[in-house]
C-alpha cells in the first residue's frame, strides 16, 4: 500500500469534517443556498490561483473527450455542501460525518465491484462485507444517544 496516498486520503477526510463545520457555520449566518454559492465561488478562485501559480494551463480542446457522467461531479458538490449545511446544525458534526462515511463506503464498494464510471473493477470479497458490518455496528454505537 502506498502510504503517501493513504495519508493524502486521510487528509481529505479531515478536510471534509472541517469543511462541513465551516460550511454549516456560514450557512447559519447567510443561508443554506447562499453559503453553497459562496463556498463554490471561493473554490473556483482558489483553483484559478493554483493553476496560474503552477503554470498548469488549460486545455479546453479536451473537454469533448470527457464522458458525460464526469461532469456530474459539479452537481454532486452542490448536493454535498447543501446536505452538510442542512444536517450538521441539526444532528452535529460527528453524527453527520458518521452517516456520510457509511454511505460513502457503501457507494464506493458498489462502484469498485461494478467497475462503474470507468473505474478499475475490484471483486467484492467476504472481508468487504465484514468491514461494512463492523462499520455499521460502529456507526450505530456512535449514533446512540
Amino acid at each position: 500500500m502506498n502510504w503517501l496516498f493513504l495519508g493524502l486520503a486521510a487528509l481529505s477526510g479531515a478536510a471534509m469534517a472541517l469543511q462541513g463545520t465551516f460550511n454549516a457555520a456560514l450557512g447559519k449566518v447567510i443561508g443554506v443556498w447562499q453559503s453553497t454559492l459562496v463556498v463554490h465561488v471561493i473554490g473556483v478562485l482558489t483553483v484559478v490561483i493554483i493553476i496560474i501559480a503552477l503554470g498548469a494551463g488549460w486545455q479546453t480542446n479536451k473537454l469533448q473527450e470527457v464522458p458525460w457522467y464526469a461532469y456530474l461531479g459539479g452537481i454532486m458538490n452542490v448536493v454535498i455542501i447543501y446536505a452538510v449545511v442542512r444536517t450538521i446544525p441539526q444532528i452535529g458534526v460527528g453524527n453527520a460525518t458518521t452517516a456520510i462515511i457509511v454511505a460513502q463506503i457503501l457507494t464506493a464498494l458498489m462502484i469498485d465491484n461494478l467497475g462503474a464510471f470507468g473505474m478499475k473493477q475490484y471483486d467484492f470479497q467476504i472481508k468487504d462485507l465484514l468491514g461494512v458490518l463492523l462499520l455499521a455496528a460502529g456507526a450505530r454505537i456512535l449514533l446512540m444517544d
Side-chain angles (χ1 to χ4, degrees):
M1 177 157 313
N2 189 318
W3 290 102
L4 173 66
F5 291 112
L6 190 61
L8 189 57
L11 175 64
S12 171
M16 285 179 192
L18 288 168
Q19 178 197 36
T21 304
F22 301 152
N23 292 350
L26 182 64
K28 281 185 194 177
V29 177
I30 67 171
V32 175
W33 289 113
Q34 294 80 357
S35 66
T36 302
L37 175 63
V38 167
V39 166
H40 279 89
V41 168
I42 292 170
V44 167
L45 293 174
T46 302
V47 171
V48 167
I49 290 168
I50 291 169
I51 288 172
I52 291 169
L54 295 177
W58 184 260
Q59 297 179 353
T60 56
N61 61 329
K62 292 195 173 202
L63 290 175
Q64 71 249 15
E65 298 175 26
V66 177
W68 67 270
Y69 54 80
Y71 291 107
L72 297 176
I75 295 170
M76 293 295 104
N77 284 338
V78 172
V79 169
I80 292 164
I81 292 171
Y82 173 81
V84 164
V85 170
R86 292 288 290 159
T87 60
I88 283 179
Q90 300 301 316
I91 62 174
V93 178
N95 289 335
T97 303
T98 299
I100 290 165
I101 291 168
V102 170
Q104 191 173 25
I105 290 174
L106 288 172
T107 304
L109 285 172
M110 287 189 293
I111 291 169
D112 277 350
N113 183 253
L114 297 171
F117 309 113
M119 296 291 108
K120 182 179 175 186
Q121 186 173 9
Y122 293 91
D123 292 331
F124 190 80
Q125 299 176 13
I126 194 71
K127 68 179 177 126
D128 296 325
L129 181 60
L130 178 61
V132 169
L133 291 174
L134 288 171
L135 178 69
R140 178 67 184 119
I141 292 168
L142 281 170
L143 296 175
M144 288 177 158
D145 285 351

